[in-house]
Amino acid sequence: MSRENLNYCFVDNYPEGLGLIDYKIGHGEPLGADYPMDARVYMTERYKGMQVPDLVENTCGMRIVSRRVKEVFERVNQSPVEYLPVAIYNHKKRVASTDHFIVNPLGTVDCLNLEASEIEYHNGKVVSVDNPVLDPAKVETAPHLFRMREHSYSYLFSEVMFQALRTLDPRPTNFILDQLAQVPSGTPHCA
């Protein structure tokens, strides 16, 4: 794994107290009252970065964002999303931030052109989506922030959301974005 800024913190675990329901965060299922009121995560020991960026990297597939990014998401995106407060503790078990949230877009969206995307299946189930290609007709009515149906750990957002995030000053830290190709379903393609 290549990290953009080694001074930024990194998290290896879900918030304490979630137990067996931590999978819900990766699948877009609501946690509601099951989410701990004093949720906290700890910076991993294997990376020594201490700065808390607007997007905190982690190995759990969570999107942990600062309050200012969360506020943009809330303002622009009108679909169901849980914003779960989480405190971030440093290597010495001291509070580094109480101003971050886990973003949990509820549900998934059928958005891919399955023929043009590189998808690995096993026994008819998706194992991985290596090169997602969007179907423009499917994303036409998609929310501005959502999860793809074939891989719920992937979060996508629209050009409208991208432009809204760009208005923040200073610009959000630790965001690396890829623009996905769009090919209408039924269009011939080369593999």
Side-chain angles (χ1 to χ4, degrees):
M1 170 186 313
S2 148
R3 299 191 58 226
E4 187 69 20
N5 185 329
L6 298 179
N7 294 319
Y8 291 150
C9 67
F10 193 91
V11 172
D12 269 338
N13 295 304
Y14 289 102
E16 287 184 342
L18 279 182
L20 296 176
I21 64 167
D22 59 13
Y23 73 91
K24 289 183 174 187
I25 291 176
H27 293 285
E29 295 182 24
L31 280 100
D34 291 331
Y35 188 73
M37 291 179 60
D38 62 344
R40 63 180 68 179
V41 293
Y42 294 90
M43 296 177 187
T44 184
E45 290 289 334
R46 63 188 169 118
Y47 297 119
K48 298 302 178 194
M50 296 289 284
Q51 292 178 19
V52 183
D54 286 304
L55 176 66
V56 177
E57 289 183 83
N58 63 88
T59 57
C60 302
M62 297 180 289
R63 293 304 172 261
I64 302 173
V65 301
S66 64
R67 177 177 303 279
R68 69 193 199 115
V69 169
K70 170 207 170 247
E71 288 171 352
V72 170
F73 287 170
E74 284 180 311
R75 186 180 78 240
V76 174
N77 193 61
Q78 300 302 314
S79 65
V81 176
E82 283 183 325
Y83 297 98
L84 308 165
V86 64
I88 299 172
Y89 282 70
N90 68 20
H91 305 94
K92 295 181 180 181
K93 310 298 184 226
R94 295 184 185 138
V95 176
S97 172
T98 58
D99 217 23
H100 277 69
F101 297 81
I102 297 171
V103 179
N104 184 24
L106 301 179
T108 60
V109 173
D110 177 12
C111 62
L112 293 183
N113 176 327
L114 299 177
E115 296 81 30
S117 299
E118 290 177 30
I119 301 174
E120 186 176 337
Y121 294 90
H122 178 72
N123 293 333
K125 295 191 180 205
V126 174
V127 175
S128 68
V129 179
D130 298 320
N131 183 27
V133 176
L134 299 173
D135 181 328
K138 291 180 178 180
V139 294
E140 194 171 292
T141 59
H144 293 294
L145 171 67
F146 64 94
R147 299 169 186 267
M148 75 172 70
R149 181 182 69 185
E150 287 74 16
H151 190 262
S152 63
Y153 285 90
S154 294
Y155 296 65
L156 287 80
F157 56 83
S158 69
E159 179 70 20
V160 171
M161 184 67 77
F162 173 73
Q163 294 303 332
L165 288 169
R166 288 185 55 152
T167 66
L168 290 176
D169 186 25
R171 293 267 173 96
T173 53
N174 212 27
F175 275 79
I176 301 172
L177 307 173
D178 291 322
Q179 186 170 3
L180 298 180
Q182 294 190 31
V183 175
S185 292
T187 302
H189 67 280
C190 299

